[in-house]
């Protein structure tokens, strides 16, 4: 015969006046955590007490009940009620719902207190999201929901943002098949089909990191920080019907624009409008583009303009600004730093002075009638206007009109279509695919090393110490090795043209920096030779060294060249070895300089084996295996996406002796002069 199951009896519940309750010393909670007593009191004031207190009778010395009760479990609620009594929002005799444990119970008071605090389960984020959603649908605002739960409105917005995630993915998360950070990454997009497609891909991979999900969801978008967006403006894009994808859980730098076609149309419309305004100035022609190719002004003659003279009002304004600047600097000459408001004012003064001193240029209408303007976007999203260029067919016919061909200041780009090797097309035709790590073609090597030369010039020109060291090394070598020469000083810089280049070079960071540095010096240099000598003689040492570094940078040559004969091959090897030493001294990192592998500049130009080698180094064996079955063109496209942001570089672009970290893939490449070691973390 089965024994009867013993039935339990629950503790009695009743209301006890608050002034008969005291906080028990057996309460285990000592450290303040979570919602403050003040916030809890406001919540009780709004919605009442949701949970009873756990109490025990207080006994006297003889073991008899005194009529008072101690509170071992529910101490924070007791303190919140006590605060409401002090604030006279609750009478001290107000009845409080209590669960009463009998006197002399075998269960310790500490046991009850510990159980109440330990045996509670935090609300699942998905349940919180659904509750917020229900409250929103029933008429509460986001701010009201935040106030009710003592959280900032951002938390409510973040939880409600999960409404944009596919129900299928929410179910996977609910069943612990996905982490909260991954779910939050999917909330960037409202496209449920795309979300599910990406989860299908990443769920089969070892890499399910949120950053990868975000990147895959935004791969066909444009960042809000893009120069095109800054040029057009987010307001214009939204007004035209565009949509912005935002990440409420991570810093998103303004978000992503999911309609690049609309953005490009708005950019070209605004460029065309600007071009019409500029054409009205009287120019013969105006050309517009997002960016012009490298060396686009090489074959043009540039007409001279005259800076517009300051008006009397502008001159007086400039004098007053300089006077105010000098007064402030004199007043705080002994201070360690300027007060914040004074520092802000000095910044405003400097901007105003710069705006007045950077004078617009006027041109002769006769010259304008045969010249034109290039209008494009600068790297910072501002309008770049290059005025005063005359096409070869519009140049005046003058005898012996020969342009100077050693002017480093005018030849910054270093590219001349006339230097293109005879018979070579603008894009080298890829030979039939071969197995194995086939050597890189001479043209691709030249393009890659042209990129490196450009970045090396920028780094060299920005580092006067290294530039001076290299110059002195060259001069001393020529002196002591008895290299023949003529003249009182045969030290010179010959600008090295870059005969071929990849399409991404003109808009690159080094190219922009070189142009900016060149234009700055060109603006300051006197035109008269004698005046220039005096100007140079009076220049401070820091500026002299900076100018020296800039001039020397045009002679930097780290180019690969096809070698025909042992002497030329040895000469190229020696040149590249010196370039390696210089790159190491400058800590040159081509990834930081802006080079990244694309189909156009590398991946579409090498064999499948080299593509897989690149992906394997940057992203691991599994990533390489996932694309190994693809055709060459598809593999190159997929590799470009995988390598985006990895900082991976071909061996020819790596700086020897300088460690580069491929952060995204966890690959560390440590290169030395003799070998390379690749370690997967």
């Amino acid at each position: 015969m089965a024994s009867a199951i013993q039935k339990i009896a629950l503790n009695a519940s009743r209301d006890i006046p608050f002034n008969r309750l005291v906080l028990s010393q057996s309460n285990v909670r000592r450290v303040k955590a979570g919602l403050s007593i003040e916030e809890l009191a406001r919540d009780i004031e709004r919605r009442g007490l949701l949970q009873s207190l756990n109490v025990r009778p207080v006994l006297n010395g003889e073991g008899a009940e005194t009529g008072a009760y101690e509170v071992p479990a529910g101490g924070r609620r007791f303190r919140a009620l006590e605060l409401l009594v002090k604030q006279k929002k609750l009478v001290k005799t107000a009845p409080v719902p209590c669960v009463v444990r009998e006197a002399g119970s075998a269960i310790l008071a500490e046991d009850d207190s510990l159980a109440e605090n330990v045996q509670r389960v935090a609300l699942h984020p998905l349940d919180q999201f659904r509750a917020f959603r229900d409250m929103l649908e029933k008429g509460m605002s986001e701010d009201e929901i935040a106030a009710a739960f003592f959280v900032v409105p951002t938390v409510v917005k973040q939880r409600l943002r999960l409404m944009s995630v596919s129900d299928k993915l929410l179910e996977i998360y609910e069943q612990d098949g996905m982490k909260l950070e991954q779910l939050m990454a999917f909330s960037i997009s409202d496209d449920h089909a795309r979300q599910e497609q990406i989860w299908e891909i990443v769920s089969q991979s070892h890499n399910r990191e949120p950053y990868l999900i975000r990147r895959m969801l935004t791969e066909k978008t444009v960042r809000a920080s893009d120069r095109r967006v800054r040029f057009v403006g987010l307001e214009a894009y939204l007004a035209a019907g565009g949509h912005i994808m935002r990440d409420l859980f991570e810093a998103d730098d303004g978000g992503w624009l999911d309609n690049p076609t609309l953005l490009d149309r708005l950019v070209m419309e605004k460029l065309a409008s600007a071009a019409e305004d500029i054409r009205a100035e009287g120019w013969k022609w105006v050309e517009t583009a997002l960016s012009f190719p490298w060396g686009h002004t090489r074959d043009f003659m540039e007409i001279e303009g005259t800076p517009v003279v300051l008006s009397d009002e502008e001159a007086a304004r400039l004098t007053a600004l300089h006077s105010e600047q000098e007064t402030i600097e004199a007043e705080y000459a002994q201070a360690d730093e300027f007060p914040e408001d004074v520092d802000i004012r000095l910044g405003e003064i400097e901007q105003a002075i710069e705006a007045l001193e950077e004078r617009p240029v006027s041109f002769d209408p006769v010259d304008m009638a045969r010249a034109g303007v290039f209008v494009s976007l600068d790297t910072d999203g501002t309008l770049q206007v290059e005025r005063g260029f005359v096409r070869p067919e519009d140049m005046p016919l003058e005898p012996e009109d020969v342009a100077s061909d050693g002017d480093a200041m005018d030849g910054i780009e270093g590219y001349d279509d006339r230097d293109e090797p005879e018979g070579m097309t603008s894009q080298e035709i890829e030979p039939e695919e071969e197995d194995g790590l086939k050597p890189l073609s001479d043209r691709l090597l030249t393009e890659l090393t042209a990129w490196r030369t450009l970045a090396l010039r920028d780094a060299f020109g920005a580092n006067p110490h290294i530039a001076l060291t290299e110059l002195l090394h060259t001069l001393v070598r020529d002196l002591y090795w008895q290299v023949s020469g003529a003249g009182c000083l045969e030290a010179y810089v010959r600008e090295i043209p870059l005969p071929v280049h990849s399409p991404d070079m003109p808009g690159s960071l080094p190219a922009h920096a070189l142009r900016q540095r060149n234009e700055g010096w060109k603006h300051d240099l006197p035109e008269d030779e004698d005046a220039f000598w005096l100007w140079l003689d009076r220049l401070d040492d820091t500026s002299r060294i900076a100018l020296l570094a800039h001039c020397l940078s045009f002679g930097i040559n780290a180019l690969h060249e096809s070698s025909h004969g042992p002497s030329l091959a040895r000469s190229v090897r020696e040149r590249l070895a010196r370039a390696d030493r210089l790159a190491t001294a400058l800590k040159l990192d081509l990834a930081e300089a802006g080079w990244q592998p694309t189909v156009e500049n590398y991946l579409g130009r090498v064999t499948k084996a080299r593509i897989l080698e690149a992906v394997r180094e940057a992203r691991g064996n599994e990533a390489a295996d996932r694309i190994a079955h693809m055709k060459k063109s598809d593999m190159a496209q997929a590799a470009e996406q995988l390598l985006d942001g990895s900082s991976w570089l071909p061996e020819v672009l790596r700086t020897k002796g300088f460690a580069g970290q491929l952060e995204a893939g966890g690959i560390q490449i440590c290169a030395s002069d003799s070998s390379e070691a690749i370690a997967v973390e």
Side-chain angles (χ1 to χ4, degrees):
M1 181 176 177
S3 59
I5 299 176
Q6 186 176 359
K7 303 298 188 294
I8 63 171
L10 299 178
N11 296 321
S13 176
R14 60 191 174 94
D15 292 343
I16 300 174
F18 178 75
N19 60 352
R20 291 171 58 188
L21 300 176
V22 294
L23 188 62
S24 173
Q25 296 301 310
S26 300
N27 192 297
V28 299
R29 186 185 289 275
R30 298 285 189 271
V31 179
K32 294 181 180 180
L35 203 67
S36 71
I37 298 299
E38 292 78 9
E39 290 172 332
L40 181 57
R42 291 200 300 272
D43 190 67
I44 293 174
E45 180 184 359
R46 175 177 174 269
R47 71 178 93 239
L49 193 64
L50 298 180
Q51 186 177 352
S52 302
L53 304 183
N54 182 290
V55 302
R56 293 171 178 243
V58 177
L59 307 179
N60 60 19
E62 288 75 29
E65 295 186 11
T66 62
Y69 294 84
E70 63 176 351
V71 185
R76 296 183 71 254
R77 275 163 280 148
F78 174 83
R79 292 188 183 280
L81 293 170
E82 186 177 47
L83 178 60
L84 290 172
V85 171
K86 290 181 180 178
Q87 294 174 343
K88 300 189 183 303
K89 294 179 179 179
L90 181 72
V91 297
K92 62 182 178 181
T93 57
V96 179
C98 298
V99 175
V100 184
R101 187 179 290 281
E102 69 278 5
S105 172
I107 304 296
L108 298 175
E110 289 84 357
D111 195 344
D112 282 344
S113 179
L114 186 63
E116 181 178 84
N117 288 284
V118 172
Q119 294 182 13
R120 63 172 67 181
V121 178
L123 191 66
H124 194 282
L126 200 55
D127 290 330
Q128 189 181 32
F129 140 65
R130 287 167 175 159
F132 286 170
R133 180 185 60 187
D134 292 342
M135 295 168 73
L136 188 70
E137 291 174 351
K138 291 177 180 178
M140 292 184 68
S141 69
E142 293 177 354
D143 289 343
E144 288 172 338
I145 296 172
F149 290 93
F150 301 101
V151 295
V152 295
T154 303
V155 173
V156 178
K157 291 180 184 293
Q158 288 176 338
R159 290 292 181 259
L160 291 174
R161 181 63 181 170
L162 296 178
M163 294 170 64
S164 65
V165 179
S166 159
D167 289 337
K168 179 180 178 181
L169 298 188
L170 291 176
E171 184 178 346
I172 292 173
Y173 170 61
E174 187 174 356
Q175 301 300 322
D176 296 329
M178 181 190 303
K179 296 179 181 178
L180 178 59
E181 291 77 11
Q182 294 168 324
L183 186 71
M184 292 189 300
F186 280 108
S187 71
I188 293 178
S189 172
D190 296 325
D191 187 342
H192 290 182
R194 181 60 176 157
Q195 292 173 356
E196 294 171 9
Q197 180 186 38
I198 289 177
W199 176 250
E200 184 67 25
I201 295 172
V202 300
S203 63
Q204 305 299 321
S205 168
H206 73 288
N207 186 358
R208 304 183 186 182
E209 292 300 319
Y211 82 86
L212 179 61
I213 295 171
R214 288 186 175 90
R215 193 176 70 195
M216 294 176 72
L217 283 169
T218 58
E219 62 185 356
K220 295 182 180 180
T221 63
V222 177
R223 276 199 171 275
S225 57
D226 187 273
R227 61 174 179 156
R228 292 170 290 173
V229 182
R230 284 180 281 175
F231 176 64
V232 171
L234 282 175
E235 296 78 8
Y237 171 78
L238 293 172
H243 177 257
I244 299 178
M245 299 165 55
R246 297 302 305 266
D247 188 348
L248 297 182
F249 301 94
E250 297 284 345
D252 62 5
D253 197 19
W256 298 264
L257 283 65
D258 61 2
N259 194 336
T261 303
L262 172 62
L263 176 64
D264 287 340
R265 178 173 64 80
L266 294 174
V267 169
M268 295 312 297
E269 288 176 356
K270 189 170 181 179
L271 278 175
S273 175
E276 287 304 314
D277 293 339
I278 294 170
R279 188 189 303 275
E281 297 173 3
W283 300 101
K284 181 178 181 180
W285 52 266
V286 178
E287 288 189 15
T288 61
L290 287 178
S291 60
F292 287 99
W294 191 249
H296 65 284
T297 63
R298 186 83 177 183
D299 295 326
F300 289 74
M301 183 183 79
E302 188 172 359
I303 63 175
E304 294 294 331
T306 304
V308 177
V309 179
L310 285 169
S311 66
D312 293 341
E313 182 180 349
E314 289 173 328
R317 171 67 174 156
L318 183 60
T319 301
L321 287 170
H322 277 299
S323 177
E324 183 180 358
Q325 183 183 46
E326 292 170 1
T327 301
I328 293 175
E329 290 176 347
E331 181 180 351
Y332 292 94
Q334 304 303 320
D336 294 334
E337 60 182 17
F338 295 111
E340 184 177 357
D341 58 335
V342 174
D343 191 47
I344 293 174
R345 177 55 187 159
L346 278 175
E348 294 172 348
I349 292 173
E350 290 172 359
Q351 290 179 0
I353 290 175
E354 183 178 354
L356 287 170
E357 290 182 340
E358 289 291 331
R359 306 304 300 155
V361 177
S362 64
F363 295 89
D364 188 323
V366 176
D367 290 335
M368 294 173 65
R370 60 187 173 89
V373 183
F374 294 101
V375 180
S376 60
L377 284 189
D378 208 340
T379 54
D380 61 354
T382 58
L383 195 67
Q384 180 169 317
V385 182
E386 301 170 278
R387 291 180 171 87
F389 291 93
V390 182
R391 290 172 173 150
E393 61 269 23
D394 294 329
M395 293 179 185
L397 298 177
E398 297 179 8
E400 299 180 359
D401 183 13
V402 181
S404 172
D405 64 347
D407 188 352
M409 290 302 180
D410 290 333
I412 177 107
E413 291 90 346
Y415 171 65
D416 190 344
D417 290 337
R418 293 168 295 185
D419 294 322
E420 189 82 23
E422 185 176 355
M424 182 175 287
T425 61
S426 61
Q427 288 294 331
E428 186 181 31
I429 299 175
E430 181 69 26
E432 195 69 26
E433 179 69 28
E434 299 179 12
D435 294 332
L437 293 176
K438 166 182 182 293
L440 302 182
S441 67
D442 284 340
R443 180 181 175 89
L444 179 55
L445 276 173
T446 304
E447 284 190 12
L448 293 174
T449 52
W451 229 109
R452 189 182 190 223
T453 300
L454 182 69
L456 195 56
R457 285 179 179 180
D458 177 39
F460 186 93
N463 194 315
H465 178 79
I466 297 296
L468 187 57
T469 302
E470 182 69 13
L471 174 63
L472 291 173
H473 179 276
T474 301
L475 297 179
V476 171
R477 182 200 62 179
D478 293 345
L479 174 64
Y480 285 93
W481 292 351
Q482 300 298 314
V483 176
S484 60
C488 62
L489 178 62
E490 282 295 317
Y492 66 94
V493 177
R494 180 175 64 88
E495 183 183 355
I496 307 300
L498 304 180
V500 294
H501 64 83
S502 56
D504 56 342
M505 273 179 62
S508 65
L509 294 176
H512 177 70
L514 280 167
R515 279 195 297 267
Q516 292 290 97
R517 191 180 299 122
N518 188 67
E519 288 302 318
W521 281 115
K522 188 175 181 180
H523 178 271
D524 292 343
L525 297 180
E527 295 182 2
D528 180 77
E529 184 176 344
D530 292 336
F532 170 64
W533 199 96
L534 292 174
W535 177 85
L536 190 61
D537 184 55
R538 295 168 183 168
L539 203 62
D540 62 273
D541 288 344
T542 301
S543 299
R544 287 156 62 92
I545 294 176
L547 178 58
L548 172 65
H550 174 65
C551 294
L552 289 175
S553 70
F554 290 95
I556 293 296
N557 186 359
L559 285 170
H560 163 84
E561 292 179 344
S562 301
S563 55
H564 300 285
S567 60
L568 181 57
R570 182 171 62 253
S571 175
V572 172
R573 285 198 304 270
E574 291 175 355
R575 175 209 302 160
L576 295 179
R578 294 187 68 185
D580 286 342
R581 181 182 64 220
L582 199 56
T584 301
L586 290 165
K587 294 184 172 61
L588 182 68
D589 186 341
L590 265 292
E592 287 187 2
W595 191 92
Q596 60 180 9
T598 65
V599 173
E600 197 170 22
N601 71 6
Y602 183 80
L603 299 168
R605 317 277 295 284
V606 298
T607 62
K608 293 174 67 173
R610 284 201 176 273
I611 297 175
L612 293 174
E613 178 190 44
V615 174
R616 188 172 291 110
E617 287 184 358
R619 300 303 189 194
N621 291 330
E622 289 191 25
D625 293 342
R626 287 203 307 273
I627 65 173
H629 66 284
M630 295 181 178
K631 295 181 179 179
K632 167 72 177 295
S633 59
D634 295 336
M635 179 186 290
Q637 292 283 353
E640 179 177 328
Q641 296 181 16
L642 286 170
L643 295 174
D644 181 31
S646 68
S647 298
W648 181 87
L649 296 171
E651 185 175 1
V652 68
L653 297 185
R654 298 173 189 171
T655 295
K656 295 179 173 58
F658 178 59
Q661 178 71 33
L662 303 185
E663 298 177 352
I667 309 295
Q668 187 173 11
I669 299 179
C670 303
S672 63
D673 288 339
S674 58
S675 63
E676 293 182 352
I678 301 176
V680 182
E681 295 178 352

